[in-house]
Amino acid sequence: MLLTAALVVAALVTATLSGMAGMGGGAVLIAVMFALGMPPALALPLHAGVQLASNASRSVVYSPHVRWGALGLFMITAVPGPFLVAPLVVDANPDWIRLIMAVFIAMAVWPSWAQRLRIHGRGGLLAAGAIAGVIGPVVGATGILVAPFFLRDDWRKEQIIATMAVAQASGHLLKMAAFSLNGFNVLARLDLLVPMAIAALVGTLIGRRLVGLFSEVRFRQMIRAVMLVLAVKLAWDGLAGLLAG
């Protein structure tokens, strides 16, 4: 019961963060789920289900602005990945997954590396699909990794938001299907999925209303501090587990 309450609160708070900043909440949420001790076989598909609900709502709102041709390119490389990687993740040592998550969060805390990428156009969309498909089942949230490929000068803001939302929703749906084929159907845990998904939707609405509450600089500092603490905890837990084993 306490775990369910903690997960619902985490889903609400992180969705609020995403509603305020546009992204980042998913990375914090999966880090919290791992920090609470959830095994990868449960945490990753459950996270996918919650994020599917969040991205799907944004997809519906912005659906007239989706660049379907670009989405098709993304899906070409995004589809195979989860089905190849999910079997490895289900049987993986949770401590190694925690260490990988710690590295991923550190990359999200200091995303300046992404600004150096210069892959755009069709190549960028194919690269984004491959990243989401292969890395997504391992770390859960890939928004910070694929965002640079969607920030195109020839797209309006609405088109970027819409196309990326549908791409992310599709990626989470693929992950759910892949994990289901490997023995874990997230729909079997509706006791966790439903309240977390509802909390995520509510958090998105709250976040949109709180956009101006903090300055952008202060807000980013707060997010980075939280993510850094989570990264350190995951790294510590992962190393402790490996050394104990």
Side-chain angles (χ1 to χ4, degrees):
M1 191 66 180
L2 290 176
L3 176 62
T4 301
L7 291 172
V8 170
V9 172
L12 176 66
V13 173
T14 55
T16 302
L17 296 178
S18 284
M20 296 172 67
M23 66 177 68
V28 177
L29 177 60
I30 188 62
V32 171
M33 295 170 75
F34 272 89
L36 289 173
M38 297 185 71
L42 172 60
L44 289 165
L46 180 60
H47 176 269
V50 175
Q51 292 301 299
L52 172 62
S54 179
N55 283 281
S57 62
R58 193 157 58 248
S59 300
V60 171
V61 173
Y62 287 96
S63 59
H65 304 284
V66 176
R67 297 293 294 260
W68 294 106
L71 183 65
L73 290 171
F74 174 90
M75 294 300 295
I76 289 174
T77 50
V79 171
F83 298 96
L84 296 173
V85 177
L88 304 176
V89 175
V90 169
D91 297 325
N93 185 329
D95 294 317
W96 278 112
I97 299 293
R98 290 187 178 92
L99 286 176
I100 294 173
M101 278 297 307
V103 173
F104 167 75
I105 294 171
M107 294 173 65
V109 171
W110 288 285
S112 58
W113 61 269
Q115 299 173 2
R116 301 176 184 176
L117 297 175
R118 293 293 182 269
I119 305 175
H120 296 294
R122 295 182 176 181
L125 292 167
L126 291 171
I131 291 172
V134 174
I135 300 180
V138 181
V139 302
T142 58
I144 192 67
L145 298 177
V146 303
F149 302 103
F150 287 87
L151 299 176
R152 298 175 48 163
D153 295 334
D154 57 334
W155 288 9
R156 299 190 308 273
K157 178 181 179 181
E158 293 81 6
Q159 293 174 322
I160 294 173
I161 294 173
T163 308
M164 188 171 173
V166 177
Q168 290 286 83
S170 302
H172 291 307
L173 187 60
L174 288 169
K175 285 187 291 182
M176 291 174 64
F179 278 108
S180 178
L181 290 176
N182 287 277
F184 189 88
N185 183 359
V186 70
L187 297 180
R189 294 305 308 266
L190 290 177
D191 59 316
L192 296 176
L193 177 60
V194 172
M196 288 182 70
I198 293 174
L201 294 175
V202 173
T204 299
L205 296 175
I206 294 174
R208 290 177 179 175
R209 291 183 175 273
L210 298 179
V211 171
L213 185 61
F214 299 102
S215 69
E216 183 173 348
V217 172
R218 179 59 60 85
F219 179 76
R220 291 182 182 276
Q221 290 174 342
M222 292 169 55
I223 295 297
R224 287 177 177 176
V226 172
M227 295 180 73
L228 184 59
V229 170
L230 290 170
V232 171
K233 184 182 188 307
L234 288 173
W236 177 270
D237 291 344
L239 287 172
L242 290 174
L243 292 175

PDB file of all heavy atoms in Angstrom, residues 21-40:
ATOM      1  N   ALA A  21       8.112  21.944 -17.760  1.00  0.00           N
ATOM      2  CA  ALA A  21       9.357  22.056 -18.517  1.00  0.00           C
ATOM      3  C   ALA A  21       9.277  21.478 -19.918  1.00  0.00           C
ATOM      4  O   ALA A  21      10.144  21.719 -20.739  1.00  0.00           O
ATOM      5  CB  ALA A  21      10.483  21.368 -17.762  1.00  0.00           C
ATOM      6  N   GLY A  22       8.231  20.687 -20.205  1.00  0.00           N
ATOM      7  CA  GLY A  22       8.107  20.085 -21.519  1.00  0.00           C
ATOM      8  C   GLY A  22       8.680  18.686 -21.599  1.00  0.00           C
ATOM      9  O   GLY A  22       8.268  17.891 -22.430  1.00  0.00           O
ATOM     10  N   MET A  23       9.647  18.361 -20.760  1.00  0.00           N
ATOM     11  CA  MET A  23      10.232  17.026 -20.711  1.00  0.00           C
ATOM     12  C   MET A  23      11.012  16.887 -19.407  1.00  0.00           C
ATOM     13  O   MET A  23      11.144  17.844 -18.646  1.00  0.00           O
ATOM     14  CB  MET A  23      11.155  16.789 -21.909  1.00  0.00           C
ATOM     15  CG  MET A  23      12.404  17.654 -21.924  1.00  0.00           C
ATOM     16  SD  MET A  23      13.505  17.271 -23.310  1.00  0.00           S
ATOM     17  CE  MET A  23      12.507  17.847 -24.670  1.00  0.00           C
ATOM     18  N   GLY A  24      11.517  15.700 -19.163  1.00  0.00           N
ATOM     19  CA  GLY A  24      12.338  15.471 -17.984  1.00  0.00           C
ATOM     20  C   GLY A  24      11.647  14.676 -16.896  1.00  0.00           C
ATOM     21  O   GLY A  24      12.306  13.972 -16.131  1.00  0.00           O
ATOM     22  N   GLY A  25      10.327  14.775 -16.811  1.00  0.00           N
ATOM     23  CA  GLY A  25       9.607  14.061 -15.761  1.00  0.00           C
ATOM     24  C   GLY A  25       9.720  12.561 -15.882  1.00  0.00           C
ATOM     25  O   GLY A  25       9.815  11.851 -14.872  1.00  0.00           O
ATOM     26  N   GLY A  26       9.726  12.055 -17.107  1.00  0.00           N
ATOM     27  CA  GLY A  26       9.832  10.616 -17.311  1.00  0.00           C
ATOM     28  C   GLY A  26      11.139  10.055 -16.791  1.00  0.00           C
ATOM     29  O   GLY A  26      11.174   8.960 -16.203  1.00  0.00           O
ATOM     30  N   ALA A  27      12.234  10.790 -16.996  1.00  0.00           N
ATOM     31  CA  ALA A  27      13.541  10.341 -16.502  1.00  0.00           C
ATOM     32  C   ALA A  27      13.567  10.301 -14.983  1.00  0.00           C
ATOM     33  O   ALA A  27      14.131   9.382 -14.380  1.00  0.00           O
ATOM     34  CB  ALA A  27      14.638  11.263 -17.037  1.00  0.00           C
ATOM     35  N   VAL A  28      12.965  11.312 -14.351  1.00  0.00           N
ATOM     36  CA  VAL A  28      12.925  11.339 -12.888  1.00  0.00           C
ATOM     37  C   VAL A  28      12.060  10.199 -12.362  1.00  0.00           C
ATOM     38  O   VAL A  28      12.406   9.523 -11.384  1.00  0.00           O
ATOM     39  CB  VAL A  28      12.400  12.697 -12.378  1.00  0.00           C
ATOM     40  CG1 VAL A  28      12.295  12.691 -10.852  1.00  0.00           C
ATOM     41  CG2 VAL A  28      13.308  13.831 -12.827  1.00  0.00           C
ATOM     42  N   LEU A  29      10.924   9.946 -13.027  1.00  0.00           N
ATOM     43  CA  LEU A  29      10.002   8.909 -12.557  1.00  0.00           C
ATOM     44  C   LEU A  29      10.651   7.529 -12.582  1.00  0.00           C
ATOM     45  O   LEU A  29      10.563   6.781 -11.600  1.00  0.00           O
ATOM     46  CB  LEU A  29       8.732   8.901 -13.410  1.00  0.00           C
ATOM     47  CG  LEU A  29       7.715   7.811 -13.054  1.00  0.00           C
ATOM     48  CD1 LEU A  29       7.253   7.953 -11.606  1.00  0.00           C
ATOM     49  CD2 LEU A  29       6.515   7.868 -14.011  1.00  0.00           C
ATOM     50  N   ILE A  30      11.307   7.169 -13.682  1.00  0.00           N
ATOM     51  CA  ILE A  30      11.902   5.833 -13.742  1.00  0.00           C
ATOM     52  C   ILE A  30      13.031   5.720 -12.725  1.00  0.00           C
ATOM     53  O   ILE A  30      13.237   4.655 -12.125  1.00  0.00           O
ATOM     54  CB  ILE A  30      12.406   5.524 -15.172  1.00  0.00           C
ATOM     55  CG1 ILE A  30      12.841   4.052 -15.274  1.00  0.00           C
ATOM     56  CG2 ILE A  30      13.530   6.447 -15.588  1.00  0.00           C
ATOM     57  CD1 ILE A  30      11.752   3.057 -15.039  1.00  0.00           C
ATOM     58  N   ALA A  31      13.742   6.813 -12.482  1.00  0.00           N
ATOM     59  CA  ALA A  31      14.804   6.793 -11.469  1.00  0.00           C
ATOM     60  C   ALA A  31      14.216   6.550 -10.083  1.00  0.00           C
ATOM     61  O   ALA A  31      14.775   5.791  -9.279  1.00  0.00           O
ATOM     62  CB  ALA A  31      15.586   8.101 -11.503  1.00  0.00           C
ATOM     63  N   VAL A  32      13.085   7.193  -9.785  1.00  0.00           N
ATOM     64  CA  VAL A  32      12.423   6.995  -8.493  1.00  0.00           C
ATOM     65  C   VAL A  32      11.956   5.554  -8.343  1.00  0.00           C
ATOM     66  O   VAL A  32      12.106   4.935  -7.274  1.00  0.00           O
ATOM     67  CB  VAL A  32      11.234   7.962  -8.348  1.00  0.00           C
ATOM     68  CG1 VAL A  32      10.404   7.603  -7.115  1.00  0.00           C
ATOM     69  CG2 VAL A  32      11.722   9.396  -8.240  1.00  0.00           C
ATOM     70  N   MET A  33      11.408   4.996  -9.417  1.00  0.00           N
ATOM     71  CA  MET A  33      10.917   3.615  -9.372  1.00  0.00           C
ATOM     72  C   MET A  33      12.051   2.643  -9.073  1.00  0.00           C
ATOM     73  O   MET A  33      11.897   1.711  -8.280  1.00  0.00           O
ATOM     74  CB  MET A  33      10.212   3.271 -10.688  1.00  0.00           C
ATOM     75  CG  MET A  33       8.936   4.086 -10.917  1.00  0.00           C
ATOM     76  SD  MET A  33       8.248   3.919 -12.581  1.00  0.00           S
ATOM     77  CE  MET A  33       7.508   2.284 -12.472  1.00  0.00           C
ATOM     78  N   PHE A  34      13.201   2.855  -9.686  1.00  0.00           N
ATOM     79  CA  PHE A  34      14.354   2.007  -9.398  1.00  0.00           C
ATOM     80  C   PHE A  34      14.862   2.255  -7.986  1.00  0.00           C
ATOM     81  O   PHE A  34      15.277   1.327  -7.294  1.00  0.00           O
ATOM     82  CB  PHE A  34      15.464   2.270 -10.416  1.00  0.00           C
ATOM     83  CG  PHE A  34      15.353   1.420 -11.652  1.00  0.00           C
ATOM     84  CD1 PHE A  34      14.613   1.844 -12.737  1.00  0.00           C
ATOM     85  CD2 PHE A  34      15.985   0.200 -11.729  1.00  0.00           C
ATOM     86  CE1 PHE A  34      14.506   1.073 -13.873  1.00  0.00           C
ATOM     87  CE2 PHE A  34      15.893  -0.593 -12.863  1.00  0.00           C
ATOM     88  CZ  PHE A  34      15.145  -0.160 -13.939  1.00  0.00           C
ATOM     89  N   ALA A  35      14.866   3.524  -7.565  1.00  0.00           N
ATOM     90  CA  ALA A  35      15.340   3.850  -6.227  1.00  0.00           C
ATOM     91  C   ALA A  35      14.462   3.218  -5.147  1.00  0.00           C
ATOM     92  O   ALA A  35      14.931   2.943  -4.038  1.00  0.00           O
ATOM     93  CB  ALA A  35      15.394   5.367  -6.046  1.00  0.00           C
ATOM     94  N   LEU A  36      13.195   2.990  -5.458  1.00  0.00           N
ATOM     95  CA  LEU A  36      12.280   2.347  -4.519  1.00  0.00           C
ATOM     96  C   LEU A  36      12.475   0.834  -4.475  1.00  0.00           C
ATOM     97  O   LEU A  36      11.801   0.136  -3.720  1.00  0.00           O
ATOM     98  CB  LEU A  36      10.824   2.666  -4.882  1.00  0.00           C
ATOM     99  CG  LEU A  36      10.375   4.107  -4.635  1.00  0.00           C
ATOM    100  CD1 LEU A  36       8.978   4.333  -5.205  1.00  0.00           C
ATOM    101  CD2 LEU A  36      10.399   4.430  -3.153  1.00  0.00           C
ATOM    102  N   GLY A  37      13.386   0.338  -5.328  1.00  0.00           N
ATOM    103  CA  GLY A  37      13.708  -1.086  -5.294  1.00  0.00           C
ATOM    104  C   GLY A  37      12.909  -1.955  -6.236  1.00  0.00           C
ATOM    105  O   GLY A  37      12.958  -3.187  -6.134  1.00  0.00           O
ATOM    106  N   MET A  38      12.187  -1.365  -7.177  1.00  0.00           N
ATOM    107  CA  MET A  38      11.397  -2.159  -8.111  1.00  0.00           C
ATOM    108  C   MET A  38      12.316  -2.881  -9.095  1.00  0.00           C
ATOM    109  O   MET A  38      13.264  -2.293  -9.615  1.00  0.00           O
ATOM    110  CB  MET A  38      10.413  -1.272  -8.887  1.00  0.00           C
ATOM    111  CG  MET A  38       9.380  -0.590  -8.026  1.00  0.00           C
ATOM    112  SD  MET A  38       8.150   0.321  -9.010  1.00  0.00           S
ATOM    113  CE  MET A  38       7.255  -1.068  -9.723  1.00  0.00           C
ATOM    114  N   PRO A  39      12.057  -4.148  -9.399  1.00  0.00           N
ATOM    115  CA  PRO A  39      12.878  -4.880 -10.368  1.00  0.00           C
ATOM    116  C   PRO A  39      12.638  -4.349 -11.777  1.00  0.00           C
ATOM    117  O   PRO A  39      11.543  -3.869 -12.090  1.00  0.00           O
ATOM    118  CB  PRO A  39      12.386  -6.329 -10.227  1.00  0.00           C
ATOM    119  CG  PRO A  39      10.988  -6.196  -9.712  1.00  0.00           C
ATOM    120  CD  PRO A  39      10.998  -4.992  -8.819  1.00  0.00           C
ATOM    121  N   PRO A  40      13.628  -4.444 -12.664  1.00  0.00           N
ATOM    122  CA  PRO A  40      13.467  -3.934 -14.029  1.00  0.00           C
ATOM    123  C   PRO A  40      12.266  -4.513 -14.761  1.00  0.00           C
ATOM    124  O   PRO A  40      11.593  -3.797 -15.511  1.00  0.00           O
ATOM    125  CB  PRO A  40      14.783  -4.344 -14.706  1.00  0.00           C
ATOM    126  CG  PRO A  40      15.762  -4.454 -13.597  1.00  0.00           C
ATOM    127  CD  PRO A  40      14.986  -4.962 -12.416  1.00  0.00           C
TER     128      PRO A  40
END
